[in-house]
Amino acid sequence: MTDTILNYLTNSSAITYIVLALLSIYLIITIWIFLYRYFSIVALIRNEEKSLESLTSREATFSPLSALNKCANSTNSKELLYACEINIIKEASSGISWLAIISSTSPFIGLFGTVVGILESFAKFSTHSKVAFSVIAPAISEALVATAAGIFVAIFAYTFHQILVRKVYELNTYIKAQSQILIAKG
């Protein structure tokens, strides 16, 4: 396996190195955004869930840990609560659009690397009068590694994007429920 990877890298062109480096950076950014946003959103959800439970219990108090409470400053104004909801969701969803961008562009970057690799392979074989499929096939399969890498990155970016969008939706649900209770209590 290691020999195959080293052989691939020694036979690759500068474009292949650039494509694989860019896709590696994309993968690192994807994982970083996911981990950072996931844990911060989960913490927000936990706080808002506890706050909603305390609002609906016999205590009927607003949790001091709630982001909605911090923003609204214990005011039950419909307009202020709505503005706070928007601000909290905007902050919670920041960075998530990068995952969508990465998931949509990484396959094209990989495809670009593949096309360049295939063009270089054909250019190499253009000086030969006869070229068998057994000679062309390995060169094309090496070029397809870039597409595979692009699809690999896109799968993670898209999956992480969907997970975070769902978490933001859960957070939004808790915040809206609290807001509605506070407006109803006046």
Side-chain angles (χ1 to χ4, degrees):
M1 177 73 172
T2 307
D3 293 335
T4 306
I5 293 171
L6 290 175
N7 186 33
Y8 171 74
L9 291 174
T10 56
N11 293 333
S12 296
S13 67
I15 293 293
T16 304
Y17 289 132
I18 292 169
V19 165
L20 291 178
L22 183 59
L23 290 173
S24 298
I25 291 168
Y26 264 20
L27 185 61
I28 291 167
I29 290 170
T30 297
I31 292 170
W32 182 82
I33 289 172
F34 175 72
L35 292 175
Y36 177 73
R37 298 310 312 161
Y38 181 81
F39 288 116
S40 63
I41 293 170
V42 166
L44 280 170
I45 288 172
R46 236 180 284 124
N47 289 339
E48 299 307 323
E49 186 178 18
K50 288 177 186 175
S51 180
L52 182 61
E53 286 175 11
S54 69
L55 273 175
T56 56
S57 69
R58 292 182 187 203
E59 302 165 16
T61 58
F62 209 16
S63 171
L65 297 175
S66 171
L68 190 60
N69 184 26
K70 291 175 187 172
C71 178
N73 294 326
S74 301
T75 306
N76 293 352
S77 164
K78 184 177 183 176
E79 293 79 16
L80 182 60
L81 287 170
Y82 180 69
C84 288
E85 288 175 27
I86 292 171
N87 190 42
I88 292 166
I89 297 305
K90 181 182 75 71
E91 287 177 14
S93 62
S94 68
I96 295 177
S97 60
W98 281 105
L99 294 177
I101 292 168
I102 290 171
S103 70
S104 64
T105 58
S106 61
F108 292 112
I109 293 169
L111 186 60
F112 174 74
T114 297
V115 168
V116 169
I118 289 173
L119 288 174
E120 287 175 349
S121 296
F122 285 148
K124 226 186 303 183
F125 299 131
S126 66
T127 58
H128 301 4
S129 60
K130 284 189 176 181
V131 180
F133 184 71
S134 61
V135 175
I136 295 174
I140 291 175
S141 68
E142 286 178 5
L144 288 172
V145 169
T147 297
I151 292 170
F152 179 78
V153 171
I155 289 169
F156 281 101
Y158 183 75
T159 302
F160 292 163
H161 177 266
Q162 293 297 46
I163 290 169
L164 291 177
V165 165
R166 176 64 187 166
K167 288 294 179 187
V168 169
Y169 173 78
E170 288 177 38
L171 176 65
N172 191 26
T173 302
Y174 285 119
I175 290 173
K176 285 196 180 298
Q178 289 178 72
S179 186
Q180 292 298 319
I181 290 170
L182 291 171
I183 291 169
K185 286 184 179 181

